[in-house]
Amino acid sequence: MADSPTTTKLNSTKQQTDKWFYRKKSLKTVRNNKNIIEIKMNEFELIAKTFMGLEPVLAKELTQLGANNVEIGRRMVSFTGDKEMMYRANFQLHTAIRILKPIAKFKAASADDVYEEIKKIDWSQYIEKGKTFSVDSVVYSEEFRNSRFVTYKVKDAIVDQFREKTGTRPNISVSNPDIRLNIHIAETAATLSLDSSGESLHRRGYRQESVEAPLNEVLAAGMILMTGWHGETDFIDPMCGSGTLAIEAALIAHNMSPGVFRKEFAFEKWPDYDAELFDTIYNDDSQEREFTHHIYGYDIDMKAVNTARLNVRAAGLTNDITIDCADFKDFTKPAEKSILVVNPPYGERISTPNLLNTYKMIGERLKHAFMGNEAWVLSYRQECFEAIGLKPSIKIPVYNGSLECEFRKYSIFDGTMKDFRQEGGIVKTEEEKRQMAEKHRFKKNREFKKRLDEDEENAEADIRSFKFRSMERRKDNDDRRGGGKRFDRDDDKSFGKRGGKSFGRGRDDDRSFGRGRDGEKSFGKGFKSDRKGGKGFNKKRFDNED
């Protein structure tokens, strides 16, 4: 009888046998949805949350960081790694909102199921005596239409277990808990996780002041990474607001970890926190690089300019970023090869006179003063893009808050398209052609986003007198239509208000967009935040500081 493949492998040589057994001991098999993944024994599952539309960018960041089993989901990317990878993900990722560590997965068809499953967990290994905790719930289910109700059930189960076992109970702290928990329910599938980040990772720590409707730091970083820019040319934001795009561009150009400005992460309060390991990660700047070009931010509003300068100074990046007061309509061709990324006003949260004329001016300036360069524009309204009057090479759907926006790339060249291509110019890369060919790229997340909006609306109701408001609205709509077939509301019109940059009152400024410095005092490239969020000239931590 012939030996089986396994028997042959085990009997080949002792070296092969030892190798085989080592592999069996060092890996465990986990079923993840329909896929089976192998996880090293010192690794565990992790989830990185992000904004809708940034998932591929985050997945690429995780792969470059060395994460294993990277898999894209909706508003999240799952991966596996050890404790060091979890620390690095929090500290180094530019496009993650928070990093979750799942500790339990179960099926729950009712609130009682949630309570019983949570109570099965030995909470003494996560919440030490005298420690506080909080629970955040994300619910996408027909059974659980109110996230607050789920939150209360999880809290009750944990508190009841402690009271039964010890006679005391841990306290709840919403503002500054020692342990943060996150429960996610999709239909009947529930995942309970430890939140290793704490405060959202978009809160870098460098923002000293803000302007109306500032651009989120994670979204800004995602936009820059989408362009493929990593510091190879000058960078220009002609409507910079509080300077978010400029600062995030400098961090990417230097390959600096955005977590360097943070005061703390939630994992620093965990019982198994390894302070020495995290200090090593924090003080390791071996992957940072020199940035030999320059970043320019401009705004017509002097208040925004002063705010941006303050934030740049707090980030220690005054050597790399110049902020000045100038009107986009006075834009002149930059002296060096440049990329332009801009987030103009959308006319939603900020009222802008002659909105379409503003976009027409943007197109005119790009066409006449930005030849030979690339420009990227984030906006919301189709008529605004049409007013630009230029043909984009790619349109990337991305959500800015609740608004379904587009991030469009414009390759600016002199002459005809035919002449540009004959000279070797590339309007669309192969990857951009592939993305543009995808059907329904803009529609695939609308129903999901609409459902999230309804869930948030339901969550506003008090538990004790809860009514499904979205269900009532649907019933009212049916009644008005005479009980006929219900048509869902137009998704494009259902989104909330949006921010953008203010044009002020249209004051003209005679400054041009040259390469002049803003004249403020420079603190040098080595100027970074200390571990407690203050300003300092040395990045090294001082644990004895308050």
Side-chain angles (χ1 to χ4, degrees):
M1 181 177 177
D3 291 337
S4 67
T6 302
T7 304
T8 302
K9 183 173 184 177
L10 289 173
N11 292 336
S12 58
T13 66
K14 186 177 185 302
Q15 182 180 10
Q16 289 175 319
T17 302
D18 292 343
K19 182 178 180 181
W20 187 84
F21 276 112
Y22 174 78
R23 183 174 183 274
K24 292 289 287 182
K25 289 180 179 180
S26 63
L27 297 175
K28 64 178 179 179
T29 301
V30 175
R31 185 175 295 276
N32 183 8
N33 296 330
K34 296 181 179 180
N35 301 321
I36 296 178
I37 60 176
E38 287 186 326
I39 304 175
K40 295 178 181 178
M41 291 302 291
N42 63 334
E43 292 190 349
F44 40 83
E45 294 181 79
L46 291 162
I47 294 172
K49 302 285 291 183
T50 191
F51 293 123
M52 200 177 294
L54 297 186
E55 299 94 341
V57 183
L58 176 56
K60 185 175 180 180
E61 274 201 282
L62 282 164
T63 301
Q64 293 172 342
L65 197 61
N68 296 320
N69 301 302
V70 177
E71 185 175 337
I72 294 176
R74 181 177 279 144
R75 301 200 304 176
M76 55 80 75
V77 178
S78 62
F79 62 104
T80 62
D82 55 12
K83 186 181 293 186
E84 179 180 351
M85 176 55 63
M86 184 181 69
Y87 290 177
R88 288 192 179 277
N90 276 284
F91 188 67
Q92 294 179 230
L93 292 175
H94 295 266
T95 55
I97 297 174
R98 65 182 65 252
I99 308 298
L100 304 177
K101 180 184 179 182
I103 57 175
K105 295 183 180 181
F106 52 87
K107 294 289 184 180
S110 67
D112 290 338
D113 289 346
V114 173
Y115 178 90
E116 293 300 329
E117 291 293 336
I118 297 298
K119 206 172 179 184
K120 291 177 182 178
I121 300 169
D122 180 9
W123 286 104
S124 63
Q125 63 179 315
Y126 300 110
I127 304 174
E128 297 176 311
K129 185 177 180 180
K131 299 293 185 180
T132 61
F133 76 97
S134 68
V135 180
D136 180 43
S137 300
V138 179
V139 179
Y140 180 56
S141 171
E142 293 291 342
E143 301 296 331
F144 307 94
R145 295 303 301 273
N146 189 288
S147 61
R148 291 184 184 178
F149 188 55
V150 174
T151 297
Y152 294 153
K153 278 297 182 181
V154 174
K155 290 178 179 178
D156 287 347
I158 297 172
V159 168
D160 289 349
Q161 183 189 99
F162 273 98
R163 186 181 288 116
E164 292 169 6
K165 288 185 176 182
T166 67
T168 60
R169 51 157 290 173
N171 291 322
I172 311 298
S173 175
V174 177
S175 59
N176 188 31
D178 296 306
I179 301 297
R180 295 174 183 261
L181 300 172
N182 178 283
I183 183 167
H184 179 277
I185 300 179
E187 300 306 338
T188 60
T191 301
L192 182 69
S193 304
L194 292 172
D195 181 350
S196 68
S197 303
E199 193 173 36
S200 174
L201 296 177
H202 85 274
R203 298 184 181 276
R204 310 293 202 211
Y206 60 70
R207 189 185 293 276
Q208 304 298 301
E209 291 186 7
S210 187
V211 295
E212 188 177 2
L215 187 65
N216 182 284
E217 290 84 345
V218 165
L219 177 57
M223 290 164 56
I224 296 165
L225 291 173
M226 283 181 193
T227 71
W229 183 87
H230 290 87
E232 301 85 352
T233 66
D234 284 358
F235 183 99
I236 299 171
D237 178 5
M239 297 179 173
C240 70
S242 60
T244 306
L245 275 169
I247 295 173
E248 292 297 322
L251 297 180
I252 291 171
H254 281 294
N255 199 30
M256 283 177 59
S257 299
V260 73
F261 307 102
R262 294 261 299 196
K263 289 183 179 180
E264 63 178 4
F265 296 91
F267 61 74
E268 294 182 75
K269 295 182 179 180
W270 290 6
D272 65 344
Y273 171 56
D274 189 334
E276 183 178 354
L277 173 61
F278 185 55
D279 282 347
T280 301
I281 294 171
Y282 185 90
N283 292 308
D284 179 17
D285 59 1
S286 61
Q287 298 303 309
E288 293 185 11
R289 55 179 175 249
E290 288 295 315
F291 175 47
T292 58
H293 297 279
H294 202 69
I295 297 168
Y296 299 93
Y298 303 96
D299 204 285
I300 195 174
D301 185 355
M302 195 61 210
K303 181 179 178 181
V305 169
N306 290 332
T307 297
R309 286 176 176 173
L310 183 63
N311 293 335
V312 169
R313 190 180 298 113
L317 295 168
T318 53
N319 273 6
D320 300 301
I321 302 174
T322 295
I323 304 294
D324 228 334
C325 188
D327 194 336
F328 198 172
K329 70 181 181 63
D330 298 324
F331 184 75
T332 57
K333 185 173 182 178
E336 304 291 336
K337 181 78 173 178
S338 305
I339 185 173
L340 184 148
V341 182
V342 63
N343 176 39
Y346 307 165
E348 290 293 310
R349 287 169 60 188
I350 296 179
S351 176
T352 302
N354 301 317
L355 183 67
L356 295 184
N357 285 340
T358 296
Y359 280 83
K360 183 178 179 181
M361 175 273 294
I362 292 174
E364 187 272 334
R365 284 292 82 203
L366 292 179
K367 184 176 181 180
H368 293 95
F370 209 59
M371 285 84 70
N373 296 295
E374 286 183 4
W376 291 75
V377 180
L378 178 72
S379 194
Y380 166 57
R381 299 178 183 277
Q382 180 64 27
E383 56 266 32
C384 291
F385 282 118
E386 291 175 352
I388 292 177
L390 299 174
K391 185 176 181 180
S393 59
I394 188 171
K395 308 172 187 177
I396 302 177
V398 64
Y399 277 85
N400 186 358
S402 61
L403 291 180
E404 180 187 2
C405 297
E406 289 181 29
F407 191 40
R408 295 192 177 188
K409 172 187 173 183
Y410 297 92
S411 297
I412 315 299
F413 53 86
D414 194 11
T416 65
M417 176 82 71
K418 182 178 179 180
D419 293 338
F420 178 71
R421 284 176 170 162
Q422 286 179 346
E423 294 172 0
I426 299 176
V427 177
K428 289 188 183 74
T429 65
E430 291 302 318
E431 175 63 17
E432 289 170 350
K433 289 179 182 178
R434 184 192 65 77
Q435 292 181 11
M436 290 292 283
E438 291 179 7
K439 295 182 179 180
H440 310 300
R441 291 188 306 124
F442 293 88
K443 296 180 180 180
K444 63 182 179 180
N445 288 321
R446 285 178 183 164
E447 184 175 347
F448 175 75
K449 181 66 176 66
K450 180 179 177 182
R451 176 64 177 276
L452 288 178
D453 291 342
E454 291 175 351
D455 288 348
E456 290 174 0
E457 184 181 47
N458 288 333
E460 293 176 358
D462 189 276
I463 299 296
R464 292 162 294 185
S465 59
F466 179 70
K467 293 181 180 180
F468 292 126
R469 294 181 180 177
S470 59
M471 299 298 288
E472 288 183 335
R473 181 176 63 249
R474 290 175 179 175
K475 183 178 181 301
D476 291 342
N477 290 340
D478 288 345
D479 292 341
R480 283 195 294 269
R481 296 187 179 105
K485 182 178 179 181
R486 178 177 61 83
F487 294 88
D488 290 337
R489 58 193 167 118
D490 185 349
D491 290 297
D492 285 332
K493 296 179 181 179
S494 68
F495 297 119
K497 299 297 183 181
R498 190 267 170 212
K501 304 297 184 290
S502 171
F503 282 79
R505 294 191 170 274
R507 180 180 61 83
D508 291 337
D509 196 300
D510 58 3
R511 295 194 182 188
S512 66
F513 287 73
R515 292 180 58 86
R517 307 295 187 186
D518 59 17
E520 66 187 48
K521 184 178 178 181
S522 171
F523 288 90
K525 291 185 178 180
F527 177 67
K528 299 178 181 177
S529 164
D530 64 19
R531 277 290 293 138
K532 296 302 178 183
K535 302 171 188 169
F537 290 87
N538 193 324
K539 188 175 71 170
K540 187 172 178 63
R541 300 180 63 188
F542 296 92
D543 291 331
N544 60 348
E545 289 185 0
D546 294 329

